Amino acid sequence: MNIKVEGLGKRYNYDWIFRNLNYQFHKGSEYAIVGANGSGKSTLAKVISGFTPFTEGKITYESEGNIIDAEDVYKHISFASPYLELIEEFTLKELFNFHYKFKIPTMPFESFVDRLRLKKAVEKQIKFFSSGMKQRIKLGFAFYSQSKLLILDEPTSNLDNQGFSWYLDEIEALIGTRIILICSNEEKEYEFCKHYLKVENLK
């Protein structure tokens, strides 16, 4: 997948979050969207993912020389962030089965649980998971889905040192395989990225 952004802008009421963004995201490359808290990093990520509509401009998604229709873009994107909600009444297995009605997994449930280091929590409802366990699940769904664009917003929020090491190991295995887009103001989360986009410069 390649993504071309032309004259992109997002406004809430009378305030522009960003404007006149022209940029290209290329297959197999890693990008960091950086900026201070409240600068619009998350908004830009949600716009690129299609979760939030933009106010002006154009986004073109292309794969293998073909334009991807707007209604099909979600099939090619994995997105994880601390503010995304999980269905807390589900067990981990129920949540896995529900999530992969919409995505294609890269591994079976047993391997998924093993990679997340959550074997002992398979039958536990999500509402009883710690914030760090929930964040690993969100990242796991993003990492282990067949997608061409991986967007991670503040990916290591709620993770302890062990969880952070796990994150680095998993993200390293994906470098070069898809577009990776990290939104963060913590350099340690995105230091592997080769390209930087500073949101404060887009107004």
Side-chain angles (χ1 to χ4, degrees):
M1 174 188 278
N2 295 299
I3 303 171
K4 186 177 182 181
V5 171
E6 301 173 89
L8 194 67
K10 175 63 180 178
R11 183 181 65 197
Y12 287 117
N13 297 320
Y14 298 103
D15 296 323
W16 287 98
I17 308 304
F18 55 85
R19 201 173 190 189
N20 299 319
L21 173 59
N22 296 284
Y23 204 80
Q24 293 190 47
F25 301 90
H26 296 287
K27 177 181 178 181
S29 298
E30 302 81 44
Y31 301 83
I33 296 179
V34 299
N37 292 336
S39 61
K41 300 186 300 297
S42 296
T43 299
L44 179 55
K46 287 186 282 188
V47 166
I48 293 171
S49 70
F51 291 168
T52 296
F54 47 85
T55 305
E56 63 181 14
K58 181 181 180 181
I59 305 178
T60 303
Y61 305 86
E62 175 267 328
S63 179
E64 307 300 331
N66 299 311
I67 301 300
I68 302 173
D69 292 336
E71 60 267 25
D72 293 326
V73 168
Y74 77 94
K75 299 176 182 178
H76 303 275
I77 295 174
S78 293
F79 189 102
S81 76
Y83 49 79
L84 288 182
E85 297 293 333
L86 300 173
I87 303 175
E88 302 220 327
E89 289 72 28
F90 280 177
T91 64
L92 182 53
K93 188 168 187 177
E94 290 170 336
L95 188 62
F96 177 92
N97 290 335
F98 177 79
H99 179 80
Y100 287 112
K101 289 181 180 179
F102 308 96
K103 302 289 183 181
I104 300 174
T106 60
M107 62 185 66
F109 177 69
E110 292 74 16
S111 300
F112 177 87
V113 172
D114 187 51
R115 292 281 284 273
L116 288 180
R117 304 170 186 171
L118 292 174
K119 282 185 176 181
K120 296 181 180 179
V122 170
E123 300 301 329
K124 184 187 297 186
Q125 286 180 301
I126 302 300
K127 63 183 177 182
F128 297 115
F129 283 34
S130 70
S131 58
M133 293 166 72
K134 290 176 183 177
Q135 182 64 9
R136 267 186 283 157
I137 293 169
K138 295 170 189 177
L139 291 171
F141 284 146
F143 290 153
Y144 314 138
S145 296
Q146 292 184 20
S147 60
K148 298 175 181 178
L149 170 61
L150 174 63
I151 301 178
L152 305 179
D153 190 2
E154 298 182 357
T156 64
S157 293
N158 302 316
L159 296 185
D160 57 17
N161 289 336
Q162 186 178 34
F164 180 75
S165 295
W166 169 84
Y167 159 77
L168 291 180
D169 289 341
E170 296 301 319
I171 201 75
E172 183 178 358
L174 297 174
I175 290 175
T177 66
R178 60 184 85 178
I179 297 174
I180 298 176
L181 198 160
I182 309 293
C183 299
S184 176
N185 54 13
E186 296 287 343
E187 186 175 358
K188 62 181 183 179
E189 294 183 333
Y190 62 80
E191 59 185 1
F192 57 87
C193 293
K194 298 180 178 65
H195 308 279
Y196 296 83
L197 184 57
K198 192 167 186 178
V199 181
E200 283 97 339
N201 296 337
L202 304 178
K203 298 183 180 181

PDB file of all heavy atoms in Angstrom, residues 85-95 122-129 134:
ATOM      1  N   GLU A  85     -11.779   1.218  23.017  1.00  0.00           N
ATOM      2  CA  GLU A  85     -12.423   0.382  24.021  1.00  0.00           C
ATOM      3  C   GLU A  85     -12.482  -1.085  23.575  1.00  0.00           C
ATOM      4  O   GLU A  85     -12.660  -1.370  22.400  1.00  0.00           O
ATOM      5  CB  GLU A  85     -13.846   0.887  24.300  1.00  0.00           C
ATOM      6  CG  GLU A  85     -13.914   2.294  24.879  1.00  0.00           C
ATOM      7  CD  GLU A  85     -13.335   2.371  26.283  1.00  0.00           C
ATOM      8  OE1 GLU A  85     -13.361   1.340  26.987  1.00  0.00           O
ATOM      9  OE2 GLU A  85     -12.859   3.458  26.669  1.00  0.00           O
ATOM     10  N   LEU A  86     -12.335  -1.977  24.516  1.00  0.00           N
ATOM     11  CA  LEU A  86     -12.551  -3.402  24.287  1.00  0.00           C
ATOM     12  C   LEU A  86     -13.904  -3.785  24.874  1.00  0.00           C
ATOM     13  O   LEU A  86     -14.412  -3.118  25.767  1.00  0.00           O
ATOM     14  CB  LEU A  86     -11.442  -4.225  24.959  1.00  0.00           C
ATOM     15  CG  LEU A  86     -10.012  -3.946  24.491  1.00  0.00           C
ATOM     16  CD1 LEU A  86      -9.016  -4.721  25.362  1.00  0.00           C
ATOM     17  CD2 LEU A  86      -9.825  -4.301  23.023  1.00  0.00           C
ATOM     18  N   ILE A  87     -14.488  -4.866  24.379  1.00  0.00           N
ATOM     19  CA  ILE A  87     -15.760  -5.340  24.919  1.00  0.00           C
ATOM     20  C   ILE A  87     -15.461  -6.106  26.202  1.00  0.00           C
ATOM     21  O   ILE A  87     -14.988  -7.247  26.173  1.00  0.00           O
ATOM     22  CB  ILE A  87     -16.499  -6.233  23.906  1.00  0.00           C
ATOM     23  CG1 ILE A  87     -16.723  -5.459  22.606  1.00  0.00           C
ATOM     24  CG2 ILE A  87     -17.843  -6.695  24.486  1.00  0.00           C
ATOM     25  CD1 ILE A  87     -17.330  -6.279  21.492  1.00  0.00           C
ATOM     26  N   GLU A  88     -15.704  -5.493  27.326  1.00  0.00           N
ATOM     27  CA  GLU A  88     -15.195  -5.987  28.601  1.00  0.00           C
ATOM     28  C   GLU A  88     -15.957  -7.194  29.137  1.00  0.00           C
ATOM     29  O   GLU A  88     -15.468  -7.885  30.024  1.00  0.00           O
ATOM     30  CB  GLU A  88     -15.189  -4.862  29.629  1.00  0.00           C
ATOM     31  CG  GLU A  88     -14.356  -3.661  29.195  1.00  0.00           C
ATOM     32  CD  GLU A  88     -13.559  -3.059  30.320  1.00  0.00           C
ATOM     33  OE1 GLU A  88     -14.045  -3.085  31.452  1.00  0.00           O
ATOM     34  OE2 GLU A  88     -12.442  -2.577  30.055  1.00  0.00           O
ATOM     35  N   GLU A  89     -17.150  -7.469  28.608  1.00  0.00           N
ATOM     36  CA  GLU A  89     -17.896  -8.645  29.054  1.00  0.00           C
ATOM     37  C   GLU A  89     -17.386  -9.924  28.397  1.00  0.00           C
ATOM     38  O   GLU A  89     -17.707 -11.022  28.855  1.00  0.00           O
ATOM     39  CB  GLU A  89     -19.389  -8.460  28.752  1.00  0.00           C
ATOM     40  CG  GLU A  89     -20.084  -7.422  29.622  1.00  0.00           C
ATOM     41  CD  GLU A  89     -19.681  -5.998  29.287  1.00  0.00           C
ATOM     42  OE1 GLU A  89     -19.319  -5.736  28.108  1.00  0.00           O
ATOM     43  OE2 GLU A  89     -19.704  -5.152  30.198  1.00  0.00           O
ATOM     44  N   PHE A  90     -16.608  -9.791  27.335  1.00  0.00           N
ATOM     45  CA  PHE A  90     -16.060 -10.957  26.632  1.00  0.00           C
ATOM     46  C   PHE A  90     -14.863 -11.531  27.386  1.00  0.00           C
ATOM     47  O   PHE A  90     -14.133 -10.800  28.061  1.00  0.00           O
ATOM     48  CB  PHE A  90     -15.599 -10.571  25.228  1.00  0.00           C
ATOM     49  CG  PHE A  90     -16.684 -10.468  24.203  1.00  0.00           C
ATOM     50  CD1 PHE A  90     -16.393 -10.065  22.909  1.00  0.00           C
ATOM     51  CD2 PHE A  90     -17.999 -10.766  24.513  1.00  0.00           C
ATOM     52  CE1 PHE A  90     -17.375  -9.964  21.945  1.00  0.00           C
ATOM     53  CE2 PHE A  90     -19.007 -10.666  23.552  1.00  0.00           C
ATOM     54  CZ  PHE A  90     -18.686 -10.263  22.266  1.00  0.00           C
ATOM     55  N   THR A  91     -14.646 -12.827  27.230  1.00  0.00           N
ATOM     56  CA  THR A  91     -13.372 -13.421  27.610  1.00  0.00           C
ATOM     57  C   THR A  91     -12.384 -13.136  26.489  1.00  0.00           C
ATOM     58  O   THR A  91     -12.772 -12.671  25.402  1.00  0.00           O
ATOM     59  CB  THR A  91     -13.491 -14.934  27.808  1.00  0.00           C
ATOM     60  OG1 THR A  91     -13.829 -15.540  26.539  1.00  0.00           O
ATOM     61  CG2 THR A  91     -14.561 -15.276  28.844  1.00  0.00           C
ATOM     62  N   LEU A  92     -11.119 -13.426  26.725  1.00  0.00           N
ATOM     63  CA  LEU A  92     -10.114 -13.178  25.703  1.00  0.00           C
ATOM     64  C   LEU A  92     -10.406 -13.980  24.434  1.00  0.00           C
ATOM     65  O   LEU A  92     -10.284 -13.470  23.314  1.00  0.00           O
ATOM     66  CB  LEU A  92      -8.717 -13.520  26.238  1.00  0.00           C
ATOM     67  CG  LEU A  92      -7.540 -13.265  25.298  1.00  0.00           C
ATOM     68  CD1 LEU A  92      -7.559 -11.840  24.768  1.00  0.00           C
ATOM     69  CD2 LEU A  92      -6.222 -13.556  26.007  1.00  0.00           C
ATOM     70  N   LYS A  93     -10.830 -15.219  24.595  1.00  0.00           N
ATOM     71  CA  LYS A  93     -11.132 -16.041  23.408  1.00  0.00           C
ATOM     72  C   LYS A  93     -12.337 -15.501  22.658  1.00  0.00           C
ATOM     73  O   LYS A  93     -12.343 -15.453  21.418  1.00  0.00           O
ATOM     74  CB  LYS A  93     -11.375 -17.492  23.807  1.00  0.00           C
ATOM     75  CG  LYS A  93     -11.497 -18.429  22.598  1.00  0.00           C
ATOM     76  CD  LYS A  93     -11.452 -19.882  23.003  1.00  0.00           C
ATOM     77  CE  LYS A  93     -11.398 -20.782  21.766  1.00  0.00           C
ATOM     78  NZ  LYS A  93     -11.289 -22.214  22.141  1.00  0.00           N
ATOM     79  N   GLU A  94     -13.348 -15.067  23.393  1.00  0.00           N
ATOM     80  CA  GLU A  94     -14.529 -14.484  22.743  1.00  0.00           C
ATOM     81  C   GLU A  94     -14.168 -13.200  22.004  1.00  0.00           C
ATOM     82  O   GLU A  94     -14.653 -12.953  20.884  1.00  0.00           O
ATOM     83  CB  GLU A  94     -15.613 -14.213  23.780  1.00  0.00           C
ATOM     84  CG  GLU A  94     -16.261 -15.469  24.342  1.00  0.00           C
ATOM     85  CD  GLU A  94     -17.161 -15.190  25.532  1.00  0.00           C
ATOM     86  OE1 GLU A  94     -16.964 -14.151  26.207  1.00  0.00           O
ATOM     87  OE2 GLU A  94     -18.061 -16.016  25.789  1.00  0.00           O
ATOM     88  N   LEU A  95     -13.303 -12.399  22.616  1.00  0.00           N
ATOM     89  CA  LEU A  95     -12.874 -11.157  21.978  1.00  0.00           C
ATOM     90  C   LEU A  95     -12.064 -11.449  20.720  1.00  0.00           C
ATOM     91  O   LEU A  95     -12.234 -10.775  19.697  1.00  0.00           O
ATOM     92  CB  LEU A  95     -12.042 -10.330  22.964  1.00  0.00           C
ATOM     93  CG  LEU A  95     -11.680  -8.912  22.525  1.00  0.00           C
ATOM     94  CD1 LEU A  95     -12.936  -8.068  22.321  1.00  0.00           C
ATOM     95  CD2 LEU A  95     -10.769  -8.253  23.553  1.00  0.00           C
ATOM     96  N   VAL A 122      -7.045 -16.807  29.718  1.00  0.00           N
ATOM     97  CA  VAL A 122      -7.896 -17.116  28.567  1.00  0.00           C
ATOM     98  C   VAL A 122      -9.383 -17.060  28.905  1.00  0.00           C
ATOM     99  O   VAL A 122     -10.202 -16.560  28.129  1.00  0.00           O
ATOM    100  CB  VAL A 122      -7.532 -18.501  27.987  1.00  0.00           C
ATOM    101  CG1 VAL A 122      -8.557 -18.942  26.951  1.00  0.00           C
ATOM    102  CG2 VAL A 122      -6.141 -18.445  27.351  1.00  0.00           C
ATOM    103  N   GLU A 123      -9.773 -17.558  30.077  1.00  0.00           N
ATOM    104  CA  GLU A 123     -11.192 -17.628  30.438  1.00  0.00           C
ATOM    105  C   GLU A 123     -11.655 -16.444  31.277  1.00  0.00           C
ATOM    106  O   GLU A 123     -12.807 -16.396  31.714  1.00  0.00           O
ATOM    107  CB  GLU A 123     -11.463 -18.933  31.191  1.00  0.00           C
ATOM    108  CG  GLU A 123     -11.149 -20.187  30.392  1.00  0.00           C
ATOM    109  CD  GLU A 123     -11.957 -20.278  29.102  1.00  0.00           C
ATOM    110  OE1 GLU A 123     -13.096 -19.765  29.076  1.00  0.00           O
ATOM    111  OE2 GLU A 123     -11.456 -20.852  28.114  1.00  0.00           O
ATOM    112  N   LYS A 124     -10.775 -15.495  31.511  1.00  0.00           N
ATOM    113  CA  LYS A 124     -11.122 -14.337  32.337  1.00  0.00           C
ATOM    114  C   LYS A 124     -11.787 -13.261  31.476  1.00  0.00           C
ATOM    115  O   LYS A 124     -11.385 -13.022  30.339  1.00  0.00           O
ATOM    116  CB  LYS A 124      -9.854 -13.778  32.983  1.00  0.00           C
ATOM    117  CG  LYS A 124     -10.093 -12.620  33.943  1.00  0.00           C
ATOM    118  CD  LYS A 124      -8.786 -12.003  34.416  1.00  0.00           C
ATOM    119  CE  LYS A 124      -7.940 -12.975  35.215  1.00  0.00           C
ATOM    120  NZ  LYS A 124      -6.740 -12.284  35.773  1.00  0.00           N
ATOM    121  N   GLN A 125     -12.815 -12.605  32.001  1.00  0.00           N
ATOM    122  CA  GLN A 125     -13.432 -11.500  31.292  1.00  0.00           C
ATOM    123  C   GLN A 125     -12.467 -10.315  31.212  1.00  0.00           C
ATOM    124  O   GLN A 125     -11.694 -10.055  32.142  1.00  0.00           O
ATOM    125  CB  GLN A 125     -14.722 -11.064  31.987  1.00  0.00           C
ATOM    126  CG  GLN A 125     -15.889 -12.025  31.801  1.00  0.00           C
ATOM    127  CD  GLN A 125     -17.124 -11.522  32.511  1.00  0.00           C
ATOM    128  OE1 GLN A 125     -17.125 -11.327  33.720  1.00  0.00           O
ATOM    129  NE2 GLN A 125     -18.192 -11.289  31.747  1.00  0.00           N
ATOM    130  N   ILE A 126     -12.537  -9.592  30.110  1.00  0.00           N
ATOM    131  CA  ILE A 126     -11.623  -8.484  29.863  1.00  0.00           C
ATOM    132  C   ILE A 126     -11.705  -7.427  30.957  1.00  0.00           C
ATOM    133  O   ILE A 126     -10.713  -6.773  31.293  1.00  0.00           O
ATOM    134  CB  ILE A 126     -11.905  -7.848  28.484  1.00  0.00           C
ATOM    135  CG1 ILE A 126     -11.763  -8.894  27.373  1.00  0.00           C
ATOM    136  CG2 ILE A 126     -10.975  -6.671  28.230  1.00  0.00           C
ATOM    137  CD1 ILE A 126     -10.408  -9.541  27.274  1.00  0.00           C
ATOM    138  N   LYS A 127     -12.875  -7.257  31.568  1.00  0.00           N
ATOM    139  CA  LYS A 127     -13.028  -6.218  32.599  1.00  0.00           C
ATOM    140  C   LYS A 127     -12.157  -6.478  33.824  1.00  0.00           C
ATOM    141  O   LYS A 127     -11.915  -5.567  34.627  1.00  0.00           O
ATOM    142  CB  LYS A 127     -14.492  -6.088  33.011  1.00  0.00           C
ATOM    143  CG  LYS A 127     -15.098  -7.309  33.662  1.00  0.00           C
ATOM    144  CD  LYS A 127     -16.579  -7.079  33.948  1.00  0.00           C
ATOM    145  CE  LYS A 127     -17.254  -8.310  34.527  1.00  0.00           C
ATOM    146  NZ  LYS A 127     -18.707  -8.071  34.743  1.00  0.00           N
ATOM    147  N   PHE A 128     -11.664  -7.704  33.966  1.00  0.00           N
ATOM    148  CA  PHE A 128     -10.794  -8.030  35.095  1.00  0.00           C
ATOM    149  C   PHE A 128      -9.315  -7.948  34.729  1.00  0.00           C
ATOM    150  O   PHE A 128      -8.457  -8.228  35.562  1.00  0.00           O
ATOM    151  CB  PHE A 128     -11.128  -9.420  35.629  1.00  0.00           C
ATOM    152  CG  PHE A 128     -12.530  -9.538  36.170  1.00  0.00           C
ATOM    153  CD1 PHE A 128     -13.454 -10.367  35.571  1.00  0.00           C
ATOM    154  CD2 PHE A 128     -12.916  -8.795  37.279  1.00  0.00           C
ATOM    155  CE1 PHE A 128     -14.758 -10.474  36.069  1.00  0.00           C
ATOM    156  CE2 PHE A 128     -14.201  -8.890  37.787  1.00  0.00           C
ATOM    157  CZ  PHE A 128     -15.125  -9.731  37.174  1.00  0.00           C
ATOM    158  N   PHE A 129      -9.007  -7.552  33.492  1.00  0.00           N
ATOM    159  CA  PHE A 129      -7.620  -7.407  33.066  1.00  0.00           C
ATOM    160  C   PHE A 129      -7.066  -6.073  33.553  1.00  0.00           C
ATOM    161  O   PHE A 129      -7.790  -5.096  33.673  1.00  0.00           O
ATOM    162  CB  PHE A 129      -7.516  -7.459  31.540  1.00  0.00           C
ATOM    163  CG  PHE A 129      -7.621  -8.838  30.953  1.00  0.00           C
ATOM    164  CD1 PHE A 129      -8.438  -9.804  31.514  1.00  0.00           C
ATOM    165  CD2 PHE A 129      -6.921  -9.166  29.810  1.00  0.00           C
ATOM    166  CE1 PHE A 129      -8.546 -11.069  30.964  1.00  0.00           C
ATOM    167  CE2 PHE A 129      -7.013 -10.428  29.252  1.00  0.00           C
ATOM    168  CZ  PHE A 129      -7.826 -11.384  29.833  1.00  0.00           C
ATOM    169  N   LYS A 134      -4.684  -5.062  28.871  1.00  0.00           N
ATOM    170  CA  LYS A 134      -5.590  -4.578  27.826  1.00  0.00           C
ATOM    171  C   LYS A 134      -4.810  -3.931  26.689  1.00  0.00           C
ATOM    172  O   LYS A 134      -5.137  -4.115  25.510  1.00  0.00           O
ATOM    173  CB  LYS A 134      -6.588  -3.578  28.417  1.00  0.00           C
ATOM    174  CG  LYS A 134      -7.614  -4.206  29.352  1.00  0.00           C
ATOM    175  CD  LYS A 134      -8.510  -3.142  29.967  1.00  0.00           C
ATOM    176  CE  LYS A 134      -9.488  -3.750  30.961  1.00  0.00           C
ATOM    177  NZ  LYS A 134     -10.327  -2.718  31.622  1.00  0.00           N
TER     178      LYS A 134
END
